[in-house]
Amino acid sequence: MPVNDPFARLPQAASFTVTSTTVDDGAAWPPAQHSSGLPGGKDTSPQLSWSGAPEGTKSYAVTVYDPDAPTGSGFWHWAVTDIPATVTALPEGAGDDTGSQLPDGAYQLPNDARAARYIGAAPPAGHGPHRYFVVVHALDIPSTGVPADATPAVLGFTMAGHTLGRAVLTVTAETPA
């Protein structure tokens, strides 16, 4: 497995805590968080709760990214922005097609499959384990101002100078050969 660190070239940010009732840090995704194209996969976004964000946090963004995808640029599975600073949790399934379980003002950007929703893990068969960085970003702005049709990479670029903290869960998935 590559050792690439998706945060290595980003400005440093304080740490805070993210937990999930869906999956533990370092564990494998349950079947429901895999792509619907795999047995048992349902494209269900994980439940997330966070605490201890840095003072001055005015909003959050949540991203799920696989740096081990064989694309040269990884694969963005989910990106949500403009989560109000008063919100500290998302329920399981909030990343569905409707986004109706997201807090008021928050919205999903198209992932690398160009769907504005969560898309589950689906590493190529026999490619080995992939890491999925589930990140809550604490921002010093109430809105990123990123258009709803922007890519997660544009969101990341926009957040870079506004990130006060990052709370990270690292989850894995592997599809046998």
Side-chain angles (χ1 to χ4, degrees):
M1 185 178 335
V3 195
N4 54 340
D5 175 356
F7 308 113
R9 298 187 65 164
L10 296 177
Q12 290 205 349
S15 292
F16 62 106
T17 302
V18 60
T19 59
S20 176
T21 58
T22 303
V23 67
D24 293 324
D25 187 42
W29 280 123
Q33 280 65 51
H34 285 102
S35 168
S36 60
L38 297 176
K42 296 182 181 176
D43 291 316
T44 302
S45 62
Q47 184 281 334
L48 300 172
S49 298
W50 54 91
S51 62
E55 189 172 327
T57 297
K58 295 182 180 172
S59 71
Y60 298 100
V62 171
T63 57
V64 177
Y65 174 69
D66 171 4
D68 303 318
T71 64
S73 61
F75 193 94
W76 291 97
H77 287 261
W78 196 28
V80 181
T81 190
D82 291 7
I83 300 169
T86 55
V87 174
T88 57
L90 293 176
E92 186 170 275
D96 68 5
D97 285 328
T98 69
S100 63
Q101 294 184 76
L102 294 174
D104 288 344
Y107 59 98
Q108 302 177 105
L109 301 175
N111 55 41
D112 279 347
R114 301 309 299 149
R117 59 163 296 126
Y118 172 85
I119 187 169
H127 196 255
H130 283 216
R131 297 166 297 153
Y132 296 80
F133 287 84
V134 180
V135 184
V136 179
H137 308 262
L139 306 174
D140 67 0
I141 51 177
S143 173
T144 60
V146 173
D149 63 349
T151 65
V154 169
L155 175 64
F157 183 79
T158 302
M159 291 189 308
H162 296 285
T163 301
L164 298 173
R166 283 185 204 97
V168 182
L169 284 176
T170 305
V171 186
T172 63
E174 182 173 6
T175 304

